[in-house]
Amino acid sequence: MTTPTRDRSDRLVARLRRAGCVFAEDEAAILRRAAAGDDLERLIVRREAGEFLEHLVGAVEIAGEVLDVGPGVFVPRQRTVLLIEAAIAEVRTRVRPVVVEAYCGVAPVAALVGRRVSGVQLHVTDCDERALAYARTNLPSAAAVHHGVGLGALPQELAGSVDLLVAVPPYVPSAAVDLLPREAREHEEAAALVSGADGLDEVRVLVRGAPSWLAPGGVLLLEMHRRQAPSALAVAQATSAWAERGFVVGEDGETAIVRLVRAGCDGARAAGAAPSPDAEEP
């Protein structure tokens, strides 16, 4: 015999499945923990209408940490764990490193670096004040938050002193917008997702602009799709600013992290950065 509580739970799971939620049982449990009664029903209706689960409950769990997030802002994806792990590996080899997360959104990389590594000097930038409000709650209190577009938001005194510059820039090609999940198309800003015909407009800006901010031997880490990585490396190869160029592909077979090391000392090892033995070249 089923109980009324079990019946309600089963109906909730069924509604979420009809709405296209792949992990309906998990989502149902999260929603039940977040609200009850009429409040729960309102959340269910909004989820059925395509809103991000994370926007509804105000949080996202990534790499074992919980970050604040809210309606309208970019939700960190699980694929970014690859970038977070790479960033942590880089900074652990340095003493009091200066770390910048550009296009930070709610600052998942900087926040986790700050929580996992002591003595890091953190700076983040984004043009969306709503996202920066959440970033401030996720970051250590000493982190500096700068409002503006990309590297142009950084204070000039950081020029030439940054040890690690990391970003998940928008990298969806404009022609691929219709292929995005409904929740992304309808509930995140296009500027946080799309970047020109091939998706690499902001990547080019970062690759060309980062050397003036990085210290000699400083590292640039960028997330993008694996098919875009060779094009990004070609941009880097066109300048003498980069001593090392490579990329790694995550276990999903789709996500790539491009790693560039600024010239000016004997490569990454002289700067104390972690080597990338699995890096690929186009």
Side-chain angles (χ1 to χ4, degrees):
M1 177 181 295
T2 60
T3 65
T5 299
R6 179 59 183 271
D7 284 342
R8 287 193 296 272
S9 177
D10 289 346
R11 288 197 297 270
L12 171 53
V13 172
R15 288 175 65 180
L16 292 172
R17 283 177 177 158
R18 287 196 297 271
C21 300
V22 176
F23 303 104
E25 291 186 358
D26 292 338
E27 291 199 14
I30 292 170
L31 289 169
R32 286 197 301 270
R33 288 196 296 269
D38 291 343
D39 289 337
L40 175 59
E41 176 61 23
R42 281 190 284 271
L43 291 184
I44 296 167
V45 170
R46 290 171 62 188
R47 184 64 179 129
E48 289 176 315
E51 288 193 51
F52 278 93
L53 175 68
E54 293 83 359
H55 284 169
L56 299 180
V57 301
V60 58
E61 183 175 343
I62 186 166
E65 302 279 352
V66 176
L67 301 177
D68 289 346
V69 68
V73 305
F74 182 81
V75 176
R77 309 304 201 250
Q78 294 305 312
R79 59 179 173 263
T80 299
V81 170
L82 180 66
L83 180 63
I84 291 168
E85 292 175 345
I88 290 171
E90 295 284 353
V91 299
R92 278 182 171 160
T93 65
R94 298 172 185 257
V95 178
R96 293 193 57 78
V98 177
V99 177
V100 170
E101 182 178 3
Y103 304 85
C104 72
V106 303
V109 184
L112 268 68
V113 166
R115 295 179 189 185
R116 303 271 176 90
V117 186
S118 61
V120 180
Q121 302 174 55
L122 296 172
H123 294 261
V124 302
T125 77
D126 202 279
C127 62
D128 187 343
E129 279 283 17
R130 294 173 302 170
L132 290 179
Y134 291 104
R136 290 184 179 94
T137 68
N138 293 326
L139 290 162
S141 59
V145 176
H146 309 285
H147 178 229
V149 179
L151 304 180
L154 293 173
Q156 192 58 40
E157 56 263 29
L158 286 181
S161 68
V162 175
D163 296 291
L164 175 65
L165 202 165
V166 61
V168 183
Y171 59 85
V172 176
S174 55
V177 171
D178 291 342
L179 302 178
L180 291 171
R182 172 189 175 191
E183 57 189 4
R185 296 196 311 271
E186 297 182 358
H187 298 286
E188 292 178 321
E189 293 292 336
L193 302 168
V194 183
S195 186
D198 62 357
L200 293 175
D201 283 2
E202 297 303 325
V203 169
R204 293 186 187 92
V205 170
L206 285 166
V207 171
R208 292 166 179 160
S212 64
W213 296 97
L214 289 170
V219 174
L220 173 65
L221 295 176
L222 300 175
E223 177 187 299
M224 63 194 68
H225 192 276
R226 63 175 177 80
R227 288 195 295 267
Q228 296 170 312
S231 295
L233 293 189
V235 176
Q237 196 166 9
T239 173
S240 61
W242 299 111
E244 295 183 26
R245 302 176 299 276
F247 69 93
V248 295
V249 177
E251 292 182 359
D252 64 2
E254 301 295 323
T255 306
I257 303 303
V258 167
R259 180 179 185 271
L260 305 175
V261 181
R262 191 201 151 190
C265 71
D266 186 18
R269 291 168 181 77
S276 296
D278 297 325
E280 302 178 30
E281 289 282 0

